[in-house]
Amino acid sequence: MHTLAGNVSAADMRVGIIVSRWNEFITDRLLQGALDELRRHGADEANITVVHVPGSFEISLAAKAMAETGTYDALVALGCVIRGATGHYEFVASAVTNGINTVTLQCGIPIGFGVLTTETLEQAIERAGSKAGNKGAEAALTAVEMADLVRKIATGKAK
Ligand code: INI
């Protein structure tokens, strides 16, 4: 039997982070969480690139452009869409979700999904480094694990 699973070492990973400026109070905390998690898992600072986009709607295009350079092992998408604060919540939330899914499948690159879609600002705060953890950190770690797993699947080697 062969068993393959991804490790969470970021030591040799080139990671791109796309972060939205909308609700920056929240997304900056997601970014700090992601960076902290990558550092704690051995990432080399020189191998991390942070790209800022206006809103969550723009994340997918930036992710696609980064994926197409072929210079990243993993991407992390960070944004925050709050229902109470926007009439077009559903459109922005579904566009970024579907867009990221399309990029990850079409380009074959893992993308950690750290886009908060919440009812209220309070829920967003909870997920950005308070009682519900930091979804930016979780997304970064997931992206690293998946990048390692994809490598292993491609080579058929467990290490
Ligand atoms: N973008 C977000 O990331 N979060 C939001 O809550 C939000 N609201 O409230 O509208 C939002 N809108 C901007 C959108 O992502 C685009 O940047 C904009 O529509 C221009 O394309």
Side-chain angles (χ1 to χ4, degrees):
M1 185 177 81
H2 299 282
T3 304
L4 301 177
N7 288 332
V8 291
S9 168
D12 59 345
M13 294 278 173
R14 298 158 304 169
V15 182
I17 301 175
I18 307 110
V19 58
S20 159
R21 278 196 297 270
W22 252 86
N23 296 315
E24 194 166 30
F25 164 70
I26 298 295
T27 61
D28 189 54
R29 281 163 173 72
L30 298 175
L31 176 61
Q32 295 316 316
L35 291 172
D36 182 56
E37 197 75 345
L38 291 173
R39 289 180 188 123
R40 292 195 306 110
H41 286 82
D44 183 340
E45 206 77 19
N47 286 338
I48 302 174
T49 302
V50 179
V51 169
H52 296 268
V53 295
S56 293
F57 189 81
E58 284 73 36
I59 289 175
S60 308
L61 177 59
K64 183 167 183 280
M66 293 174 84
E68 286 174 348
T69 66
T71 56
Y72 298 97
D73 298 299
L75 299 176
V76 184
L78 303 176
C80 175
V81 194
I82 302 173
R83 186 189 294 273
T86 168
H88 59 307
Y89 167 92
E90 306 286 354
F91 301 110
V92 175
S94 68
V96 63
T97 307
N98 294 333
I100 288 173
N101 193 41
T102 300
V103 175
T104 198
L105 295 177
Q106 281 185 356
C107 301
I109 186 169
I111 305 179
F113 189 74
V115 180
L116 302 181
T117 53
T118 66
E119 298 293 319
T120 63
L121 177 60
E122 188 182 7
Q123 288 172 348
I125 292 169
E126 284 174 7
R127 293 161 173 73
S130 57
K131 67 182 178 188
N134 187 311
K135 299 298 172 195
E138 283 178 28
L141 203 56
T142 300
V144 166
E145 178 179 340
M146 285 304 296
D148 188 60
L149 178 61
V150 166
R151 271 185 197 170
K152 285 173 177 163
I153 292 171
T155 61
K157 292 181 185 159
K159 294 226 180 255

